[in-house]
């Protein structure tokens, strides 16, 4: 990811506007838009395509109560 983004910026922002050698290039806003589009698309795609199996608790229920979740989060934060 970092190599591709570095190559993208180095290639498309190498215009005379940025003291580069190319006669053509993208503006800063266009480069930001090119990076923002995939980032925005990841939000709905991750919600639709990432599936996690439900965990079954000892009592047979699969739902975690909000209070239990808060306790688990607090214990995790305390342990760090």
């Amino acid at each position: 990811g970092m190599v591709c983004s570095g190559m993208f910026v180095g290639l498309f922002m190498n215009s005379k506007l940025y003291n580069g050698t190319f006669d053509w290039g993208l503006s800063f806003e266009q480069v930001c838009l090119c990076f923002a589009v995939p980032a925005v698309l990841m939000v709905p795609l991750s919600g639709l395509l990432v599936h996690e199996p439900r965990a079954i608790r000892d009592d047979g229920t699969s739902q975690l109560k909000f209070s239990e979740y808060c306790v688990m989060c607090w214990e995790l934060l305390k342990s760090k």
Side-chain angles (χ1 to χ4, degrees):
M2 291 288 295
V3 172
C4 292
S5 63
M7 288 174 47
F8 183 86
V9 169
L11 182 66
F12 291 107
M13 292 185 81
N14 194 13
S15 65
K16 303 286 184 193
L17 180 64
Y18 300 106
N19 293 329
T21 57
F22 295 165
D23 292 331
W24 55 272
L26 297 177
S27 68
F28 177 73
E29 290 83 11
Q30 291 169 327
V31 170
C32 288
L33 180 66
C34 290
F35 287 131
V37 168
V40 168
L41 289 176
M42 284 299 118
V43 174
L45 285 176
S46 62
L48 293 173
L49 299 177
V50 175
H51 299 285
E52 294 183 5
R54 287 190 175 253
I56 305 299
R57 297 179 0 178
D58 294 335
D59 60 359
T61 60
S62 62
Q63 295 255 333
L64 189 63
K65 295 178 185 174
F66 182 72
S67 60
E68 294 172 341
Y69 180 76
C70 289
V71 168
M72 287 173 44
C73 288
W74 180 248
E75 292 299 323
L76 180 65
L77 288 172
K78 285 192 329 186
S79 67
K80 297 293 177 187

